[in-house]
Amino acid sequence: MKETLRKPIYKQIFSALGAVLICLILNIQGPTASAQSTKSAQENLSAIKSDELNDQQLKSFLDRYLAQGFELANLEFELQKRGMPSAEIQKILARVGKLNEFNDKTELPKSKSNTTKRNTSDNKELFFENQENPFRLLMPKIFGSELFNNPRLSFEPNLKMATPLNYQIGPEDELVIDIFGFTEQSYKLLVSPEGYLRIPNLGPVQVLGLTVEQAQQKIRTQLIKIYPRIASGETSVAVNLGNIRNIQVTILGEVVLPGTYSVPSLASVFNALYLSGGPTMNGSFRNIKLIRGNKVFAKIDMYDFLINGNAKGNIPLKDQDVIKVEPYDIRVELTGFVKRDGFFELLPKESISHLLKYAGGFSPNAYSKRMRVTRNTGTQRSVWDVSSDKYASFAPQNGDVYAVDSILSRYENRVQIEGAVFRPGTYSITENKTLKTLIKNAEGLKEDAFLTRATLLRVKDDNALEMLSVNLKELLESGSDIELRREDKITIASKIEMREEYHLTINGDVIKPGKYPYADNMKIEDLIILAGGLKESASLTNVQVAKRSFDVDKMNANGEIAKVQTFTINKELKTDPNYNYELNPFDIITIFSVPGYKEQIQVEVNGEVMFPGKYVLAKGNERISDIVKRSGGLTASSFAGGAILIRKKGNTYQDLIVKQNKLDALKKLSKDTTKVGEEIEKEMSRESDIVGIDLEKIMKRPGSKEDLYMRDGDVLEIPFLKQTVLVSGQVLYPVRLRYEDGSSFRSYVSRAGGFSSKALKKRSYIVYANGTAKDTKSFLFFKIYPKVKPGAEIVIPLKDEKKNISAIELVTIATSLTSMAFIISTLIK
């Protein structure tokens, strides 16, 4: 058994070595080599004619050429490398130059890399794998060619499919014989070159040319001799195809890479054509012959597969088959507004109708009633106009160019109506021949339509515009009508849109003061309802209404400029017959507060008091000392010298003056404009101010000028006893130090390392814990520094940088002084 199994393996090895040797002798290319050669052949530009390239095609090529990283200066070399004749290269370069001049304002896109040259073929493999190959844009767009030059597609045969029923066994095929049931055995055997299958202990069985099913019946009959129970059915036999053989196929004619190919026995015509690169520019897609046994076995039309998906031409190949691609007979070009433009191959009896079918039909914007044909007569060109009724009979000729134009950007039967109708828009003049009919089909006029004058914009015979006015009121009441023309546009204005938008304004003690839309017959009480109702503080007896005046005497400075009236309303907002006043557009209504009404004023005390919290002012003149007393007084650990008062910012004149003074002080204290800008921004965004107070003096002398009156929202902060002093700014070591009673300003600076070389000593100042600040004074040659208190911050500003005078500046100054002295001496003399 072992000896019989080894023999097919040896045969398989020798067969493989023999196939390799034959390939080397005959120089047969495998699929990988052929694929790479196909890519090179598909870039062969030797047959390209510059005159056949339109400007858009050439511009698309340049855009992609530069986008792929090529240099415009290397275009001649790249075209020459791909086989384009020198004369055609010069024509293309001249046209590129013109395109470049035309696009000076909108320059051609520059290459992605100005340093990486693509003169070498180092990246050729990667480049060919890219589907955006720019040179393919110069190739004619032949319908069906994308099936063979797309690197993402392949027509490799499926070797894992079930064995076809009509597959005929040949030499080098491997058959797998499985015996199972009462007896179990398995064989993997190769068919010999003579067509025999050598089964161990049985002898050779002839299977050449048989199908797998026929071979199974024959092998089963022979196996009964050594396995008798097969006849009774106790043992079964299954024969399947294992590894398949390779066959030799020759591809001739107008293909990219003609030659002899070794392909699997399951390969078909399309598989072989893909390996050869498909038809060339001159090759036919509709006249491909399969020659078997020196006779034409089949004629293949690939359009049947491309258009209908019918793969009946994809015939399985046999050993020694020949595929011949004939040159095309009739090829025409279709351009313009079709779904697929390009070059199409037609059979002798086909017409323009067939051409349109292959192109997928017209695009939506195509002018389908007529087609323009450019034809070569042999001596010169001629132009034909073919109407749609001749599409089925007009016979195309080789070299014809068919152009499909777009429809006109105009309407043949449009009228428009807009404005105060219920359904404005575009209508057909066929069903709307008159203005009344059009208004009726637009669901009629709206209630606010301006009837005395509508406009009709009309296009005259010379395409000039004409404006007609229409009195719709008279037209609708009369029996006459206006006949419409194509492109008429009727505009009916709205009374509401033609006037200023009416509104009313209500101010004062209502829930939602502001502007509200005006309506006829509107009363004061109606507007109050729209504004959310009255506040508790609203006065019912002093409601003022200000009406616009249209008779102002501009020559009288004391003349009336608005009509102001005062009304009384009731709490239930019932209309009083005595004051049945109807509001007018743009009236301004003001609801005042009841005299003596005052909301509670709250202040807050935080920190070191006996009862911190919020307090309501009982009197309008309560001061800081009063609130401190009401809060139980200061605790033993309180620091009265560091107390601050936080007050909400207001928009009064005095508040604005205080804010401006602070900003001016910031500018004077610092020369750093960036820092000043940041501080100003913080100041402007702050919602409250810190008011510097001296709580110690206030508590000693209640009612004094330091004892401020409390205002709504005031917060009094009384800190814990502070025991430190912060030294910052231009000292050698900014630090927070322990407070020592009696220590001087210079003492604290000394403990922080002393002044730095950039310190501006005369501008030194202290910020105390209560928010107040004090600067350094000067008297003669002495500096009087402010007193240091607990919690204070000593700030040493930065000295301004002095710019040194350069040698050139010194020479310039000296020269100027010398010239001036010379002029003065001359004048004196």
Side-chain angles (χ1 to χ4, degrees):
M1 182 69 67
K2 292 181 180 179
E3 292 179 0
T4 58
L5 289 175
R6 285 196 190 107
K7 190 172 183 181
I9 295 174
Y10 287 134
K11 280 190 174 183
Q12 187 174 359
I13 295 173
F14 288 134
S15 299
L17 292 174
V20 173
L21 184 61
I22 292 172
C23 288
L24 291 173
I25 294 173
L26 297 178
N27 194 23
I28 297 175
Q29 297 180 344
T32 303
S34 66
Q36 294 180 1
S37 301
T38 300
K39 292 172 182 176
S40 300
Q42 287 171 348
E43 274 203 332
N44 185 3
L45 305 180
S46 58
I48 299 300
K49 302 296 182 183
S50 171
D51 296 337
E52 296 177 357
L53 301 175
N54 57 49
D55 288 343
Q56 182 59 41
Q57 188 177 1
L58 189 58
K59 187 177 184 306
S60 299
F61 160 72
L62 285 175
D63 290 345
R64 191 175 296 180
Y65 175 86
L66 296 173
Q68 288 290 325
F70 288 95
E71 297 291 337
L72 196 58
N74 297 331
L75 178 58
E76 181 177 2
F77 170 78
E78 296 293 344
L79 294 174
Q80 188 177 10
K81 185 171 68 173
R82 288 163 177 79
M84 181 175 284
S86 298
E88 298 300 327
I89 292 176
Q90 297 306 317
K91 290 180 181 179
I92 286 184
L93 292 178
R95 291 182 62 186
V96 168
K98 291 180 180 179
L99 280 177
N100 223 353
E101 291 175 6
F102 182 75
N103 290 286
D104 277 343
K105 293 184 179 179
T106 56
E107 297 177 353
L108 287 168
K110 296 183 179 179
S111 108
K112 289 183 180 177
S113 172
N114 293 327
T115 56
T116 305
K117 308 280 184 177
R118 299 187 90 165
N119 293 341
T120 63
S121 58
D122 296 340
N123 298 324
K124 185 177 180 180
E125 197 62 34
L126 178 62
F127 170 71
F128 277 124
E129 289 299 323
N130 191 342
Q131 191 143 353
E132 302 299 319
N133 184 348
F135 295 98
R136 288 181 182 169
L137 293 177
L138 297 177
M139 308 287 286
K141 192 177 179 180
I142 301 173
F143 178 63
S145 61
E146 65 273 8
L147 203 63
F148 299 101
N149 59 25
N150 190 337
R152 299 182 183 180
L153 299 177
S154 71
F155 273 101
E156 296 179 359
N158 185 5
L159 303 181
K160 296 182 180 180
M161 61 181 288
T163 304
L165 295 177
N166 60 350
Y167 180 81
Q168 294 182 344
I169 299 173
E172 302 301 325
D173 278 340
E174 181 186 60
L175 294 182
V176 179
I177 303 173
D178 288 320
I179 302 171
F180 53 94
F182 188 83
T183 304
E184 292 190 2
Q185 185 62 273
S186 180
Y187 301 99
K188 290 185 179 180
L189 307 173
L190 286 178
V191 179
S192 67
E194 295 79 19
Y196 288 97
L197 193 68
R198 188 172 296 276
I199 302 175
N201 303 320
L202 185 62
V205 179
Q206 177 65 258
V207 293
L208 182 65
L210 301 179
T211 64
V212 175
E213 186 178 1
Q214 293 171 342
Q216 178 171 326
Q217 292 296 330
K218 190 170 185 179
I219 292 170
R220 183 178 180 277
T221 301
Q222 296 295 324
L223 286 174
I224 292 177
K225 297 177 181 178
I226 55 176
Y227 299 103
R229 293 182 184 272
I230 294 177
S232 62
E234 296 179 85
T235 301
S236 300
V237 178
V239 177
N240 295 296
L241 189 65
N243 294 329
I244 60 175
R245 68 188 185 277
N246 282 350
I247 59 175
Q248 302 296 319
V249 177
T250 302
I251 306 177
L252 302 173
E254 296 294 333
V255 290
V256 175
L257 291 172
T260 302
Y261 291 82
S262 177
V263 297
S265 57
L266 290 178
S268 63
V269 172
F270 290 176
N271 302 139
L273 284 174
Y274 180 78
L275 288 176
S276 68
T280 63
M281 290 175 56
N282 296 324
S284 171
F285 283 79
R286 311 198 64 181
N287 189 13
I288 301 173
K289 297 177 181 177
L290 175 61
I291 301 172
R292 184 172 290 170
N294 297 325
K295 294 181 180 179
V296 177
F297 180 77
K299 287 186 178 181
I300 300 164
D301 185 352
M302 289 203 68
Y303 274 31
D304 199 17
F305 172 71
L306 295 170
I307 300 298
N308 304 316
N310 190 341
K312 66 180 182 180
N314 195 19
I315 301 170
L317 295 172
K318 290 189 175 182
D319 194 30
Q320 303 306 317
D321 275 355
V322 176
I323 299 173
K324 186 179 181 183
V325 178
E326 300 287 351
Y328 67 83
D329 290 326
I330 301 174
R331 179 182 287 169
V332 300
E333 184 179 5
L334 182 60
T335 63
F337 290 82
V338 289
K339 294 177 181 176
R340 278 193 298 263
D341 60 349
F343 289 85
F344 295 85
E345 187 178 348
L346 298 175
L347 299 179
K349 294 183 179 181
E350 291 184 330
S351 63
I352 293 179
S353 298
H354 294 89
L355 175 62
L356 290 172
K357 176 185 176 183
Y358 301 148
F362 293 107
S363 64
N365 295 327
Y367 177 62
S368 59
K369 288 189 176 181
R370 190 174 299 274
M371 191 178 295
R372 187 173 65 256
V373 183
T374 303
R375 174 167 288 179
N376 298 326
T377 63
T379 57
Q380 56 186 348
R381 293 182 179 179
S382 63
V383 177
W384 297 60
D385 288 330
V386 183
S387 57
S388 58
D389 58 342
K390 297 180 181 178
Y391 287 171
S393 59
F394 189 86
Q397 293 184 8
N398 186 37
D400 283 356
V401 178
Y402 295 80
V404 179
D405 295 326
S406 66
I407 59 175
L408 301 176
S409 60
R410 56 183 290 178
Y411 292 86
E412 62 181 13
N413 63 341
R414 179 179 69 169
V415 290
Q416 300 176 76
I417 186 169
E418 61 181 24
V421 292
F422 285 100
R423 292 192 179 277
T426 301
Y427 291 85
S428 168
I429 196 174
T430 308
E431 291 79 22
N432 301 274
K433 295 182 179 180
T434 63
L435 181 54
K436 285 184 178 180
T437 307
L438 178 60
I439 293 174
K440 179 182 178 182
N441 289 336
E443 301 295 337
L445 298 171
K446 289 184 177 180
E447 295 79 2
D448 61 329
F450 187 70
L451 298 179
T452 56
R453 194 178 192 89
T455 59
L456 193 157
L457 187 64
R458 174 163 289 175
V459 179
K460 298 167 67 175
D461 294 338
D462 59 354
N463 279 342
L465 294 178
E466 179 184 16
M467 180 68 74
L468 304 176
S469 61
V470 180
N471 189 324
L472 290 178
K473 185 176 181 180
E474 294 179 358
L475 180 70
L476 295 175
E477 291 175 353
S478 68
S480 61
D481 204 346
I482 296 178
E483 186 176 350
L484 298 178
R485 298 182 186 177
R486 182 185 66 84
E487 289 298 315
D488 277 357
K489 184 177 182 180
I490 298 89
T491 303
I492 301 173
S494 165
K495 293 178 182 178
I496 297 175
E497 293 178 356
M498 289 177 64
R499 74 185 185 191
E500 186 179 358
E501 184 180 356
Y502 288 173
H503 66 268
L504 299 168
T505 304
I506 184 167
N507 301 319
D509 284 13
V510 290
I511 304 299
K512 295 182 289 185
K515 290 184 178 181
Y516 290 89
Y518 169 80
D520 292 339
N521 302 319
M522 204 169 182
K523 308 294 191 297
I524 298 173
E525 292 81 3
D526 298 324
L527 182 57
I528 292 174
I529 292 295
L530 293 178
L534 297 169
K535 289 185 177 180
E536 184 185 22
S537 58
S539 172
L540 305 177
T541 60
N542 189 20
V543 178
Q544 289 188 1
V545 178
K547 179 183 177 182
R548 281 186 178 181
S549 181
F550 294 91
D551 54 357
V552 176
D553 185 2
K554 294 186 177 181
M555 302 303 294
N556 184 6
N558 297 320
E560 185 182 58
I561 61 174
K563 300 182 184 299
V564 180
Q565 294 176 269
T566 303
F567 297 92
T568 299
I569 59 175
N570 55 64
K571 194 171 184 180
E572 291 77 19
L573 298 179
K574 294 180 181 178
T575 303
D576 189 341
N578 298 322
Y579 299 99
N580 191 17
Y581 177 78
E582 290 185 5
L583 296 175
N584 298 291
F586 312 110
D587 278 358
I588 299 176
I589 297 87
T590 305
I591 310 294
F592 293 96
S593 299
V594 174
Y597 177 83
K598 186 72 174 178
E599 293 183 0
Q600 300 92 327
I601 297 176
Q602 291 190 85
V603 296
E604 188 175 353
V605 182
N606 296 325
E608 297 300 317
V609 292
M610 298 302 293
F611 302 103
K614 291 186 177 181
Y615 292 83
V616 177
L617 297 184
K619 299 177 182 179
N621 60 350
E622 284 196 80
R623 299 174 181 264
I624 295 175
S625 59
D626 299 326
I627 296 299
V628 172
K629 289 176 183 178
R630 289 175 60 184
S631 65
L634 303 176
T635 64
S637 56
S638 63
F639 178 45
I644 60 173
L645 178 66
I646 301 173
R647 176 160 289 175
K648 290 182 180 179
K649 280 188 177 181
N651 292 321
T652 63
Y653 177 75
Q654 291 82 359
D655 291 323
L656 296 175
I657 292 296
V658 171
K659 184 188 295 183
Q660 187 61 47
N661 291 338
K662 284 187 177 182
L663 300 181
D664 293 340
L666 281 171
K667 293 178 182 178
K668 289 179 180 178
L669 288 173
S670 177
K671 300 296 183 180
D672 188 346
T673 56
T674 303
K675 186 176 180 181
V676 169
E678 293 175 355
E679 292 296 331
I680 290 175
E681 187 176 350
K682 289 180 182 178
E683 179 65 28
M684 297 297 289
S685 62
R686 204 160 33 227
E687 295 182 358
S688 58
D689 286 324
I690 296 176
V691 181
I693 60 174
D694 191 340
L695 189 58
E696 292 179 345
K697 289 184 179 180
I698 290 173
M699 297 310 295
K700 289 178 181 179
R701 297 175 57 192
S704 63
K705 63 179 182 180
E706 286 87 1
D707 194 4
L708 302 177
Y709 292 108
M710 297 295 283
R711 283 169 46 178
D712 187 27
D714 281 355
V715 178
L716 183 61
E717 296 280 353
I718 303 173
F720 188 81
L721 182 63
K722 294 185 178 292
Q723 298 177 306
T724 60
V725 174
L726 176 63
V727 184
S728 62
Q730 296 303 310
V731 291
L732 295 180
Y733 185 68
V735 67
R736 189 180 294 275
L737 302 171
R738 181 174 57 84
Y739 172 74
E740 294 182 0
D741 190 19
S743 294
S744 65
F745 185 98
R746 293 295 296 263
S747 173
Y748 286 102
V749 172
S750 177
R751 289 163 62 186
F755 294 106
S756 70
S757 58
K758 296 182 180 180
L760 186 60
K761 300 178 184 178
K762 63 181 180 180
R763 292 290 185 183
S764 300
Y765 61 95
I766 283 184
V767 179
Y768 294 108
N770 64 354
T772 60
K774 196 170 184 181
D775 63 344
T776 300
K777 305 294 182 182
S778 296
F779 178 73
L780 298 178
F781 300 102
F782 302 99
K783 292 182 178 63
I784 303 172
Y785 293 103
K787 184 179 179 181
V788 181
K789 295 181 180 180
E793 179 183 2
I794 298 173
V795 182
I796 313 299
L798 177 67
K799 186 188 299 182
D800 293 338
E801 293 185 7
K802 293 183 179 179
K803 184 179 178 183
N804 295 326
I805 300 176
S806 64
I808 296 176
E809 291 173 332
L810 287 173
V811 171
T812 304
I813 293 171
T815 304
S816 301
L817 292 175
T818 303
S819 302
M820 189 178 297
F822 176 76
I823 293 170
I824 292 171
S825 64
T826 303
L827 291 173
I828 292 173
K829 290 180 181 180

